[in-house]
Structures are given as C-alpha cells and as structure tokens.
Amino acid sequence: MFKNKVIELEHVFKRYQMGDTLVTALNDVSFSVEEGEFISIMGPSGSGKSTCMNMIGCLDKPTAGKVIINGTEISKMSQNQLATLRNKTIGFVFQQYNLLPNISILENVMVPLRYQKVPIGERREMARKALIQMGLGERLSHLPSELSGGQKQRVAIARATVTRPKLILADEPTGALDQGTGKMVMELFHEINRNGTTVILVTHDEKIGNSAPRCIRLLDGKVYA
C-alpha cells in the first residue's frame, strides 16, 4: 500500500547538558514512516516525544544516529539547508496555532508560499482555495482574534497544507480545543491523509493518539510496544 520511506530514524540519541547533568532525551530510537501513512507519536511529558518531533521537523539534530527526511540525512546539513528542506517537505500544525495576529487569515496562509517565492497573485489564489477547503471562505479578511479556537486551528491546517507538503507534522493539535472541535480537527487530518499526505501526530492524549492507524509510544526516551 505504501511506497517510499519519508522518515527514517536509525539508532538516534539526543543528549542535553543541563548544568552538571547530562540528560538523554532520546535513547537509541529507531523507526521509519512510509509515504501515505498516518501515525501518532505518544507519550507522557518528558517521554522524548517533543525532541523526536524536533528531529522529524528538522528543528534539531541528533547527538548520534541518523535522521533521514525524504531521503536526506539531516546531521550534515547547514541551518539554511534545513530551513529549505522544512519549507519544501513539511507542514507544521501547533497547539497554539502560531498565527500572525496583525494580518488577515488569508495573508497568514500566504506566508509559507512567499518563502517558496510563489508569485503574489498565485499565492493569494492558493491560500484562498486552501481556506475554502477548510470552510473559511467567508472569513478571508478576518484577523485571527476574530475567530474561535477551532477556526484558528483550521487556518493553521490550511497554512500547513497550502504548499502541498509530503508530510504534515501536528504537535498536540487538539490540546487547546474542546472535545467536539477536537474531533472535527482530527477528521480534517484523516481527510488530508486520505488524499495522500503523510500525517504524524504528536500527542499525550491516548484517545487522540489511538485514532491513528499506527502508534509509536515513547517512554523515558525509548520506543516501547
């Protein structure tokens, strides 16, 4: 059913120096994700899931081991190269939305297209279509402060998908939402996945995590069954 490996972690360690203490956030973590999969990375606070997300999102590099994103090993890449890989490959959705407060939601969704140097007319139309798909076609000129939490998260999803990335990486995307709105947002992720995009959901919520077809569980920096 699946094709190419989008993500490969091979014996990944991540250690931080905190004062006199050496903290191991990831301890020999190995797994892969294939194109078109929908998986969750689950674990309690301090389990290493945020560090794992930072590796997959090209926001950090491993202390040891290999992290390969879309066929490219990240450990030898410069910050500029990592930024380019992120922008071309990954769409991010965060718990707190991370929308720019002083511009319209249409302009918010246009931001990643600007980094890809898409002409302004084309990026405006792409952003408009992405917001219409999220049911926000009547609110294009609204500021984020004029929207509900669920609407803000739909804007964030539109922004993440507008560049047609290979991978959507969602960090606790329902954490700030009520149960009903959270369910609606999860249905959007499943729809995005059915259209062929790989989705990785990072969460501590068992119910949300178990809604994914495959779960990777972390505890004390290690993968466990």
Side-chain angles (χ1 to χ4, degrees), residues 5-12 55-56 58 60-78 81-82 85:
K5 290 180 179 178
V6 179
I7 298 160
E8 298 172 80
L9 275 67
E10 299 178 358
H11 304 290
V12 169
M55 297 292 162
I56 295 169
C58 303
D60 202 353
K61 297 181 182 181
T63 305
K66 292 182 179 180
V67 177
I68 302 168
I69 307 298
N70 200 28
T72 302
E73 186 183 346
I74 71 168
S75 62
K76 298 179 178 65
M77 298 179 71
S78 69
Q81 289 171 324
L82 289 172
L85 181 62

Side-chain angles (χ1 to χ4, degrees), residues 167-183:
L167 168 67
I168 295 292
L169 184 56
D171 181 20
E172 302 281 7
T174 62
L177 305 176
D178 62 70
Q179 187 173 352
T181 306
K183 183 178 179 181

Side-chain angles (χ1 to χ4, degrees), residues 89-102:
T89 306
I90 305 169
F92 292 91
V93 180
F94 300 99
Q95 177 177 349
Q96 298 300 333
Y97 324 124
N98 286 14
L99 301 177
L100 298 171
N102 298 321

